[in-house]
Amino acid sequence: MGQGKQILALNRFDADQANGLRAEVASLVKRRQATFGASSVLFYSEPIKMVRADGVWMYDSEGRRFLDVYNNVPSVGHCHPHVARAIAEQVGTLNIHTRYLYDNIHTYAERLLATFPERLSNVVFTCTGSESNDLALRVAKIATGGEGFIVTETAYHGNTSAVMDVSPSSYKSRVVPRHVRTVPAPLSPVSGEDVGQVFAASVKAAIADLESNGVKFAGFLVDSIFSSDGIYADPAGFLKAAVDVVHAAGGMFISDEVQPGFGRTGAMWGFERHGVEPDIVTMGKPMGNGFPMGGMVTRPDLLEPFCEGTGYFNTFGGNPVAAAAGLAVLDVIEGEGLIRNADEVGTYFRTGLRELSNRFPVIGDVRGAGLFTGLEFNDEETREPDTAMATFVINGMKERGVLIGAAGFYGNTLKIRPPLCFSRENADLFFDVLTDVLGEARN
Amino acid sequence: MGQGKQILALNRFDADQANGLRAEVASLVKRRQATFGASSVLFYSEPIKMVRADGVWMYDSEGRRFLDVYNNVPSVGHCHPHVARAIAEQVGTLNIHTRYLYDNIHTYAERLLATFPERLSNVVFTCTGSESNDLALRVAKIATGGEGFIVTETAYHGNTSAVMDVSPSSYKSRVVPRHVRTVPAPLSPVSGEDVGQVFAASVKAAIADLESNGVKFAGFLVDSIFSSDGIYADPAGFLKAAVDVVHAAGGMFISDEVQPGFGRTGAMWGFERHGVEPDIVTMGKPMGNGFPMGGMVTRPDLLEPFCEGTGYFNTFGGNPVAAAAGLAVLDVIEGEGLIRNADEVGTYFRTGLRELSNRFPVIGDVRGAGLFTGLEFNDEETREPDTAMATFVINGMKERGVLIGAAGFYGNTLKIRPPLCFSRENADLFFDVLTDVLGEARN
């Protein structure tokens, strides 16, 4: 998820431009177009037919092995055996909704909530990050009596009707709804201004603009690693000023942890790096390592008025299989020290990329936290965003067995977010392949 | 799902009224209240702690066995080994989004679409029925340029913001949004009028009311078995007149098959019984026998304009594990002849209930299709809805090891929808237990 029109175009399969596809791929593409129709979106000019995956590796139908540095859903490693076993065992034992009691959902709820600040003590389970954000918007509206939301200008928060309204990267027509205001991503300011102050000033102006148009402010919803905006992590703490502005205006701060959550940034939750306490936290993607599950965590004083006014029940949310998957994911994060690994290997990775930028000036900013890194390409002369180079690198690395994607308003930022078991050796392979591709680009 | 305020109250656990819970249950309830907070909803005055389930049976932590005649999600039987094996195998092999190619999703899409009228040839996979309906509303809006929807007055279609707007059973405040009109459920008319004509006239009036208030009509969204309204199935074909009215007005007919779909009504899809072709079909619940998955099926000419205007991507939707679960469910439906079983045992079941109504006049209408039966209780004298009797029966049957729920505006209708492998012997057990409970009610 998290890709708007600019970005998807980068490495999107285009049937009209497809020539010479292998027979097996061509046949599958044809079957896909017949069934998925206009909704079919595939990566790469020659799509990859995958057959299996484990750890950081994916394998295609020709037996080619790919290092996965793109997919953040199989976060503790593709097809992790501990998670797979937990799902397999539970799906043969009991799989039912939460209107009966069973043990593992309560154990899971307690272990999950123990990773949050004390006041965030209630959880509602859903099936997706989209459902979690859809619910969070309603909780914020009930809590504030407002309806206005502020998001970043290339944000993506999910696919329901209500969440699409607050996902500018999905506005194909770029019409911002009346109840939404966008603020620029927290870019590193050119002239040495304070990122946090600049960002907070934008939020303050957006609140004022909502209110002056008769829309009461309800909340500020951000992905705490700003994935779709191009990954903005530093300096840690920069979010605090904006959150203070939100709270001073009586709004809710919703931290969308669908992408940064579960250890990705070298902390359990992305908001931790900023020293802030959200009113509502949403999660999804890595929560079950690919099992469809999501959740919303909030304070009892916010959940109560919502539940009084609105019935909410999610059939599959919090079922015993989801609980088993979620518990197994927490086991692996803890047992394999993945948060520490994300921090350490992430730092090693960005250090190596910055060294590479000395040899290849087309590499601009290298930024991120833990195993979520943004790698910008800028024209060597003009320093303008070099989207073509990002596209070239994505395809060149794929040809050499490394999977990657792009993000950001201009699509010139590589979005690097491998499974959290990514090692220094994997990073070294990435450096070698990137060096090779950038060398080819020079020739 | 599918329960509004009236109905849930029937057999909802009330912590304030809970005395003498077993220690194990009391402890779990306490842990649940600490984590789920206000969102906790449990069945029964003494909630059941479940530990395992298979086929039509569920088992609690005391070793008590319950005949499940309530749960329609584990539709081919709780923890069916063929489905469980398929999930277990796939979750250890490959679990990724649909932007790469893989085989089983395309095989599944083809097998699923083969069960639909030829023009309904495109599918979009989601994770839940709610996501499917949320998407369907948008497809209908783009296709028609309208925004007005018509639903039945106790309908439930899901839990997203947009879908709650068209789910009157969830309006705790009973304020119908400006773009929504409700029509009475297609009750069997008292005076022998034609159900279909009465229903179509309501729809026609609702369209006119929308348009006279400046809201362009977009679509008519109904659960084709009218579950939450109280289960209305007969006479087969009654929907056709309403669908004709909708089409004549330029609107879309969206058939919500989340409850009736996948063989429940003795046909693969509920709309088949009515001889109508929907423009959009939505599905969820039984699709993966509990694996979180949903889908929307429509025509290419409707999907294309939607995809042109809106990016839609669902991270977990259509992943290989969902495809494996979905394929296994289709295997079981076909291999075990579950559609025929639903039809035959359903008929046997309703025949038996009607015989019982001779002995117990409190039993009113017995209606349904396949293994979806509504059993109404009415006061023996006044013939007014007897909600108290429904509550008494639900709790009495639970005490005797049979799980059941209620539906309908007054909550006086038992909602009977066991797994599709429900047998004549299971039906006989139901009759015996119901006889016992109704006998007790007399004393």
Side-chain angles (χ1 to χ4, degrees), chain A residues 113 122-126 131-133 135-137 139 280-283 287 294-298 303 306:
Chain A
L113 289 168
N122 280 175
V123 60
V124 179
F125 291 111
T126 66
E131 286 188 347
S132 305
N133 280 324
L135 181 57
L137 296 176
V139 171
I280 306 171
V281 179
T282 56
M283 61 203 76
M287 194 172 187
M296 182 195 73
V297 166
T298 190
L303 188 58
F306 171 76

Side-chain angles (χ1 to χ4, degrees), chain A residues 3 31-32 35 48 50 71 97-99 101 110 123 128 131 134 138 159 161 164 285 311 315, chain B residues 3 31-32 35 48 50 71 97-99 101 110 123 128 131 134 138 159 161 164 285 311 315:
Chain A
Q3 286 144 324
R31 290 171 62 196
R32 182 181 177 103
T35 51
I48 309 175
M50 294 295 184
N71 290 298
H97 54 78
T98 55
R99 282 173 169 170
L101 293 166
E110 288 163 0
V123 60
T128 62
E131 286 188 347
D134 194 291
R138 280 177 280 171
N159 60 33
S161 302
M164 282 263 190
K285 290 193 193 300
T315 298
Chain B
Q3 285 144 324
R31 290 171 63 196
R32 182 183 177 101
T35 52
I48 309 174
M50 294 294 183
N71 290 298
H97 54 75
T98 55
R99 283 173 170 168
L101 293 166
E110 288 163 359
V123 60
T128 63
E131 286 189 346
D134 194 290
R138 281 176 279 170
N159 60 34
S161 303
M164 281 264 190
K285 291 192 192 301
T315 298

Side-chain angles (χ1 to χ4, degrees), chain B residues 43-122:
Chain B
F43 281 152
Y44 300 116
S45 52
E46 165 131 9
I48 309 174
K49 181 179 169 190
M50 294 294 183
V51 293
R52 67 184 179 90
D54 65 84
V56 296
W57 302 103
M58 302 191 74
Y59 302 83
D60 79 355
S61 58
E62 293 185 289
R64 284 185 302 178
R65 186 173 87 154
F66 295 91
L67 179 67
D68 183 4
V69 289
Y70 176 74
N71 290 298
N72 58 343
V73 172
S75 188
V76 300
H78 283 277
C79 304
H80 194 289
H82 183 67
V83 182
R85 264 195 308 272
I87 291 170
E89 193 173 305
Q90 189 62 52
V91 83
T93 306
L94 179 72
N95 184 13
I96 197 68
H97 54 75
T98 55
R99 283 173 170 168
Y100 308 112
L101 293 166
Y102 42 88
D103 267 327
N104 74 346
I105 191 62
H106 299 296
T107 306
Y108 180 54
E110 288 163 359
R111 274 184 67 184
L112 184 67
L113 288 168
T115 67
F116 283 93
E118 196 178 348
R119 299 199 306 165
L120 293 167
S121 63
N122 279 174

Side-chain angles (χ1 to χ4, degrees), chain A residues 337-401:
Chain A
L338 292 183
I339 294 179
R340 186 169 163 182
N341 188 69
D343 185 35
E344 290 177 357
V345 177
T347 300
Y348 175 82
F349 188 65
R350 280 183 295 280
T351 304
L353 291 175
R354 288 188 187 113
E355 281 166 15
L356 266 186
S357 73
N358 296 328
R359 289 174 56 194
F360 298 102
V362 72
I363 296 180
D365 201 19
V366 174
R367 56 182 180 258
L371 280 168
F372 208 140
T373 296
L375 170 64
E376 222 173 71
F377 292 109
N378 297 319
D379 184 273
E380 295 190 17
E381 307 292 322
T382 65
R383 307 314 290 163
E384 290 295 305
D386 193 345
T387 309
M389 179 58 78
T391 309
F392 182 83
V393 169
I394 288 168
N395 284 296
M397 294 192 79
K398 178 245 187 179
E399 289 310 312
R400 291 164 179 83

